[in-house]
Amino acid sequence: MNFTSGAPVSELLSLDRIREQLIRLEDTIIFLLIERAQFSHNPIIYRPGAFEKETNFNGSWLEWFLQEIESFHAKARRYTSPDEHPFTPIEQLPQPIIVPQTYPSILHKESYDHPSTNVNPRILDFYVKKIAPAITKPGKGRLEDDGNYGSAATRDVEVLQALSRRIHYGMFVSESKFQSAPHDFIPHILSNPPNSEALAGLITKPAVEAKLLIRLGNKARVYGGEMDADGRVVEAEDEAARKIDVDEVVRLYKDHVIPLTKDVEVDYLIHRLDGVPQEQIDKWMKGAAQ
Amino acid sequence: MNFTSGAPVSELLSLDRIREQLIRLEDTIIFLLIERAQFSHNPIIYRPGAFEKETNFNGSWLEWFLQEIESFHAKARRYTSPDEHPFTPIEQLPQPIIVPQTYPSILHKESYDHPSTNVNPRILDFYVKKIAPAITKPGKGRLEDDGNYGSAATRDVEVLQALSRRIHYGMFVSESKFQSAPHDFIPHILSNPPNSEALAGLITKPAVEAKLLIRLGNKARVYGGEMDADGRVVEAEDEAARKIDVDEVVRLYKDHVIPLTKDVEVDYLIHRLDGVPQEQIDKWMKGAAQ
């Protein structure tokens, strides 16, 4: 999100604006998947320690890429932005070398900083186990290993960063919905244990999700389609002729992005009252009774 | 290009295969421009020394990004691939830490290694002066400077790398055309000075170029169009509603990519006989007479 456009917090938190960002991120994610799918799976790049001798690093080639790129981006203050989370533990990254931007406080600090809200380890896990192999299936001239380890890992990093941004956007959705009706959320947050299911129910819109999956399939079809030399979209008779498997893109959202976003949203809400004075909570509840 | 798919050199140098790659790179370039256009121009990132104190580097913020990213990519053997050229002088980059891949020798070494064939300084120049400002014009809520210096420079680096790959692909076009009729080229290469104009004439296909520009405009229109919540392409009544200015994309190719590629192609040809034994040249010329 562009937090520095000078827009007031109320506008930054408008659901329309957040949705616009989420829809825009779909384009980025699909495009990056298409770019990754140009290269082979190259399973060796996901194997911990496979390049330990060369890299002096005991994680995988991909994790080495993440650490190197994120170390540089940290210097350029990337992880001071409220919608950016590194995959490398933040304490292993260097400090920003330029003064961080001042962002309006949009999110509730205790929810935002809560370790459980960072789901990057889970993103990395499903990406490596499910997504990378699914979009790079061998066949039709594509080998299992084409040696393009740098190209593949560079694209992996970009996909992962975009997925992380998309999934952690759930925090903005939660904050926006919480602010519009705090009294609906408070009882479920304060129940012991917090009622995750009820909280999830308050933020889930099945119709919106169904629409999202249709839109996503259409986008993958358009962006992943081929154009002939004259720039006309070629209707692929054969699904495999596409640059990306449309069903895999839809499945990625259905099985991973949407459920993980929901976890982020619920987790954010669970900690939404941490550090909030009782007086404020009472005020919110009274607002409901009026 | 995927040089390691095990395909024979003759296939790697087939004009159809090269064209396929060039057409594929159009998609990448358009998408990366669209991604860059999400952020403000941020002119300070192109000003030499503007961040000298923080970065300990006397070039621009963008050049610092190029050097940092390319240093890492060099370690991952990126610049051992025949279609990759760094923007940072290669002697300032570290050695690869993993064994470089063995590529089939496709290009003529003396042409490939000739310093004049690396046009990256010219790519950086037109990109910074013309392209970056053109695709990020302020207005409609976009400021001239939004503080997203890291995001902007990251996308700049990606666009520059893709442009560089696209433009230096000219070498493969030249090699392919040279091999198919060396006797056509040899007299112009050996004339003193070499006849650049005649060489350019041998590799220029105005009809192909005209088609390319039309295709490119169509692609920019499709990829840069908006989709509604249901994933239907929205016909933008207002050009400015698009994610990218279609005319700017076409102009980029017309004014910069195509002419620079031609320079790379001609330069490659001019040095194509460097180090080639006279005996081989005679054989090629005799082939023509038969």
Side-chain angles (χ1 to χ4, degrees), chain A residues 252-264:
Chain A
L252 160 68
Y253 261 69
K254 192 168 186 292
D255 292 352
H256 303 291
V257 174
I258 294 177
L260 257 187
T261 303
K262 207 160 293 171
D263 287 353
V264 166

Side-chain angles (χ1 to χ4, degrees), chain A residues 2 4 24 27-28 31 35 54 68 72 77 97 101 146-147 158 211 215 218 227 229-230 243, chain B residues 2 4 24 27-28 31 35 54 68 72 77 97 101 146-147 158 211 215 218-219 229-230 243:
Chain A
N2 206 324
T4 48
R24 180 63 189 78
D27 300 17
T28 300
F31 163 65
E35 291 292 295
E54 293 90 342
E68 290 267 341
F72 171 57
R77 73 177 179 194
I97 60 160
Q101 291 189 274
D146 61 11
E158 288 165 7
K211 225 181 212 188
R215 182 176 62 236
N218 288 344
M227 291 195 201
D230 299 320
K243 286 180 281 190
Chain B
N2 206 326
T4 46
R24 181 62 189 80
D27 300 17
T28 299
F31 255 106
E35 292 292 296
E54 293 91 342
E68 291 267 341
F72 170 57
R77 73 178 179 194
I97 61 161
Q101 290 188 274
D146 61 11
E158 288 165 6
K211 224 181 212 188
R215 181 177 63 235
N218 288 345
K219 284 185 179 180
D230 299 320
K243 285 180 280 188

Side-chain angles (χ1 to χ4, degrees), chain B residues 162-186:
Chain B
L163 286 173
S164 173
R165 206 152 62 237
R166 166 59 175 81
I167 289 168
H168 290 103
Y169 252 100
M171 298 189 294
F172 296 94
V173 176
S174 285
E175 181 63 25
S176 173
K177 293 193 173 174
F178 176 85
Q179 285 197 13
S180 70
H183 43 81
D184 287 348
F185 291 88
I186 290 171

Side-chain angles (χ1 to χ4, degrees), chain B residues 256-278:
Chain B
H256 303 291
V257 174
I258 294 176
L260 257 187
T261 303
K262 208 161 292 169
D263 287 354
V264 166
E265 289 171 344
V266 169
D267 223 84
Y268 180 90
L269 289 169
I270 286 176
H271 298 284
R272 182 58 184 84
L273 300 177
D274 293 3
V276 173
Q278 186 61 41

